[in-house]
Amino acid sequence: MPSTRLARASVLGITTVAGLLLTGCAGGQSAAEACSIVQTTMEKAQEDLSESVASFGSDPTAGADAVDDLAASFSGANDKISNADVKKTTDAAEKALGAFAAEMRTAADDPTNVDSEALTDALEGIQTTFADIQTACAA
C-alpha cells in the first residue's frame, strides 16, 4: 500500500474512533465519570495524532511515535477507570490500540513492506472496540 494511502486510511480510522468517543458519553454517575476520562484523553490526543499520522508518508517514525503516545496515554487513562461496564470496553480498546501501535511501528520501520491487511485489521479493531465504549457510555 503506498504511504499516502496508508496515511489516509490511518487518519480516517483515528478520526472515526475519536468521533465515536466524543459523542454521547453519558449514563450513570460512575459510568459518566469513566467516560469523561476516556473523552478527555482522546480530545487531548486527537489533533496531534491526526497531524502525525497524516504525515506518515513523509515521516513514518513521527506517525508511529504519535500512535505510541496515544496508546500510552490511553493506557494511563484506562488505569483510572473503575466502572465495570466501561472498564471491560476500555480494556479491549487498550489492547486494540496497542495492536495498531505495533502495526504502525512495524510499518515505520520498513515502509516499503507495509502489511496493509494487518494494518487494516488493527484499525478495524480500534473502530469496533471504541464503538463498544460509545455504547457503554450511552447506556
Side-chain angles (χ1 to χ4, degrees), residues 89-90 92-97 124-134:
T89 62
T90 58
E94 181 178 3
K95 183 177 178 182
L97 195 50
E124 288 173 359
I126 292 173
Q127 291 170 337
T128 299
T129 58
F130 279 77
D132 292 343
I133 293 172
Q134 180 187 21

Side-chain angles (χ1 to χ4, degrees), residues 38-119:
V38 175
Q39 181 177 355
T40 300
T41 300
M42 289 307 294
E43 285 173 347
K44 288 179 182 177
Q46 182 180 7
E47 186 177 323
D48 290 341
L49 179 65
S50 293
E51 289 174 8
S52 295
V53 173
S55 67
F56 186 83
S58 62
D59 190 354
T61 301
D65 289 347
V67 176
D68 286 341
D69 290 347
L70 174 60
S73 177
F74 189 87
S75 180
N78 191 36
D79 289 344
K80 299 175 186 174
I81 296 173
S82 61
N83 177 277
D85 292 332
V86 176
K87 182 71 171 171
K88 66 183 174 186
T89 62
T90 58
D91 284 347
E94 181 178 3
K95 183 177 178 182
L97 195 50
F100 179 65
E103 289 302 327
M104 286 291 287
R105 179 62 52 203
T106 299
D109 290 344
D110 189 4
T112 59
N113 291 311
V114 173
D115 183 347
S116 59
E117 185 176 331
L119 192 57

